[in-house]
Amino acid sequence: MRLNYGREDLLIGFFIILAILYPFIIAFLIFLEDAMEKKHRLEEVRVFYSFLLGLEECKEERAKELVKLVSESLYRELGGAEGLFKTCQSYRKAYTGARAEEKKVGDAEVLVDLLKKEKGITNRLLSLRLQFKSEGDSIKIERIEYEKGD
């Protein structure tokens, strides 16, 4: 006994399988979109703390761009774009040759350790805790907490 499937039978079978898998495909696409959005938010936070800690070149234009990521209360605490620029310059001078190590604490919080390796010993120079909130497509950094290292 030999089974022969016609084109119509294969086409109907394909659509039945597609109909069964449809909810799983949609759930996977939603998951991917959410993961990409979280990654984008984390990239914005990473760019901000890299500038704040002086890990990249300090420019006034860049400070004016990045100050849009902070909340109103933090904007006043930092002193606006000028304060952010001065903070970047001071950290760049104080912690030359340092690198950042990032740990995600929660959905809206990142802990960054500024480390420097000298004579085979890694010293933690500074810990920075950033708390942020998602607002539509972008984020707003709500609070920055510093802790002096070793």
Side-chain angles (χ1 to χ4, degrees):
M1 177 160 33
R2 187 169 174 206
L3 296 175
N4 287 330
Y5 296 111
R7 288 185 191 152
E8 297 85 14
D9 294 334
L10 292 175
L11 189 62
I12 290 171
F14 173 74
F15 281 111
I16 289 172
I17 290 174
L18 187 63
I20 291 170
L21 293 178
Y22 179 75
F24 298 108
I25 294 169
I26 297 301
F28 180 70
L29 291 175
I30 291 171
F31 171 76
L32 278 179
E33 185 178 328
D34 189 44
M36 295 301 282
E37 186 178 315
K38 285 182 181 178
K39 184 178 177 183
H40 177 69
R41 280 188 242 140
L42 200 56
E43 282 297 319
E44 286 181 331
V45 170
R46 195 172 288 133
V47 166
F48 180 79
Y49 79 69
S50 293
F51 183 82
L52 179 71
L53 294 175
L55 300 174
E56 63 180 60
E57 189 176 343
C58 302
K59 294 182 180 178
E60 287 186 57
E61 298 83 29
R62 186 74 171 144
K64 289 176 185 175
E65 290 174 18
L66 292 175
V67 82
K68 296 174 186 172
L69 295 176
V70 300
S71 65
E72 290 294 323
S73 60
L74 187 59
Y75 180 82
R76 287 188 294 274
E77 274 183 45
L78 286 173
E82 185 178 321
L84 182 62
F85 176 66
K86 288 180 182 178
T87 304
C88 176
Q89 286 181 324
S90 67
Y91 279 125
R92 189 161 176 86
K93 288 177 187 172
Y95 302 121
T96 55
R99 65 179 174 84
E101 189 175 283
E102 174 186 312
K103 297 173 195 161
K104 190 169 181 191
V105 177
D107 279 347
E109 194 170 341
V110 175
L111 179 68
V112 181
D113 289 329
L114 198 61
L115 306 171
K116 189 171 187 178
K117 191 170 186 175
E118 293 176 329
K119 299 179 184 175
I121 299 172
T122 303
N123 295 322
R124 183 175 59 93
L125 304 172
L126 179 79
S127 284
L128 178 75
R129 185 178 297 264
L130 287 167
Q131 293 177 345
F132 57 94
K133 181 173 80 172
S134 299
E135 290 185 354
D137 291 343
S138 66
I139 61 157
K140 287 292 181 189
I141 297 172
E142 300 272 311
R143 207 160 112 200
I144 300 173
E145 297 174 4
Y146 298 95
E147 182 181 319
K148 188 82 170 152
D150 302 331

